[in-house]
Amino acid sequence: MSDGVLTSGRQRGLFAAWRAMLVRDLTLAMRRRADVLTSLFFFVIVVSLFPLGVSPEMAVLRGIAPGVIWVAALLATMLSLGRMFADDHQDGSLEQTLLLPHPLSMLVLGKVLAHWLVSGLPLVLLSPLLGMQLGLEGEAIGLLMVTLLLGTPVLSLIGATGAALTLGVRGGGVLVSLLVLPLYIPVLIFGTGAVDAGISGMDYEGHLSLLGAFLVMALLTTPLATAAALRISVE
Amino acid sequence: MALKDSIAWYHFSAPKNFYPLAGKVIPWFWGLTIALLLVGLYLSFFVAPTDYKQGESYRIIYIHVPAAWMSMLIYLVMAIYAIIGLAWKVRLADMMASALAPTGAMFTFLALWTGAFWGKPTWGTYWVWDARLTSELILLFLYIGFISLQSAIDDPRRAAKASGLLAIVGVINLPIIYFSVQWWNTLHQGASVSPTMAPKMATIMLTTMLIMTFAFWMYTIVIVLMRVRRIILERERQTSWVMELFGAEASGEKDEKGERK
């Protein structure tokens, strides 16, 4: 009886801690809006460079548009990974987080969700505009948004592990891209694959299902890896 | 008997006891490496028949295929050592993992390089975005990530743990990456060139390839044991047994400087 009360109290405590973590990270991000906007503008600028570098022909651009937007999203996510744990590590609040009685992986999940809301979701919302710039049309743009919606959380989740591993390491910013980009390849393949398939009138549901499967798998496994990496980095 | 075996196992998992053991077996593995390499190279250059389609240039596969196999095997072994190191906190396993990485990266690079040299006369191009080539390239990236993470962290224990975790994450992702790349490839390229060999390979070709693989395998063991001995000395330089070892050789307190001269 008392055990049950204790457990439910613990669970409520966990949810409260999780929400507090999420709200805290979102508040911090909103107070430093410039950081958020920087990686967003980076996304826009990288995409805008391709017409200048490759060709302004709409036919050419339409062919490479899904890949360009996806690669730019990968790089923009990479740019914002450093923020995820570095500040907390510097001011010592990360160590306090590790001392909490709640499972660290759940708290990590809260931080990752905050990261995605701040740096992943804006990319999804901005992608139709960039898609139109590169000559994509109605259905393809919708498909691009769906793939980014499924894929960018995976990028944040995997990126969290990389960010935790390189915490406080010399040249961590460059190193994290070396560690994480190879692991992003499957998401990139199926993200662009779905849009390409949609453009050429083929079946794209398989790609979307796989992206969804990646998301589920990343949700289940990466918080554990990130928590382990944080403990290694902070100990 | 089983108990005795397990005691020996624990005994040699201590770097102090492993160091002399490795030193003793290294010459034997050198002998095996050289013998297998001589036989393998002789067979591949003089005994194996000329391929009726590809001519003499196909002979590079006797380096290429074993190197590619070793590159994958080494990553797997490295991840297993990383798991042992993280789960049971065996220092020697961490050291083995970090000793394996450079050799694995070397074989990956060798496989890519020889593949390019084989591709030019056979396919007419050095590089094709084929599923196998692409996955091998990604494997090289994973090795480089492991090595750079390890060298970026100064504290050797933290470096071993962090890179060990990375190796485990990598080994879980490898099959996913491999199958993604394969699917991507079939979608993008259709049935263009494929590096699969003729289904019916002459027995002598297969034998040669296996002998070369074992030669590379023995070479890996030699190099990794040599490297792990260096790593043991470096990480254990504060311990009395290392000081004694070099105290006896250099007959002085300044063991490191004495050793270098």
Side-chain angles (χ1 to χ4, degrees), chain B residues 40 43-44 48-49 58 61-62 65-66 69 197-214:
Chain B
L43 286 180
S44 53
Y58 94 96
I61 64 163
Y62 296 122
V65 176
W69 282 344
M197 278 162 301
K200 262 191 177 175
M201 200 170 24
T203 326
I204 180 68
M205 290 183 174
L206 191 64
T207 316
T208 312
M209 216 181 270
L210 285 177
I211 290 174
M212 286 302 284
T213 308
F214 278 112

Side-chain angles (χ1 to χ4, degrees), chain B residues 13-42:
Chain B
S13 69
K16 179 190 170 187
N17 303 320
F18 188 77
Y19 182 83
L21 174 74
K24 258 179 226 153
V25 299
I26 281 173
W28 292 98
F29 281 109
W30 262 132
L32 272 175
T33 308
I34 293 167
L36 284 169
L37 210 56
L38 284 178
V39 174
L41 285 177
Y42 177 75

Side-chain angles (χ1 to χ4, degrees), chain A residues 173-196:
Chain A
V174 187
L175 191 57
V176 75
S177 54
L178 209 59
L179 305 187
V180 164
L181 281 178
L183 304 180
Y184 280 176
I185 289 167
V187 183
L188 174 69
I189 287 175
F190 291 106
T192 54
V195 186
D196 280 338

Side-chain angles (χ1 to χ4, degrees), chain B residues 136-153:
Chain B
E136 192 73 8
L137 185 66
I138 296 167
L139 184 65
L140 183 64
F141 294 159
L142 290 178
Y143 273 120
I144 290 172
F146 181 92
I147 296 169
S148 12
L149 180 63
Q150 190 147 51
S151 54
I153 304 175

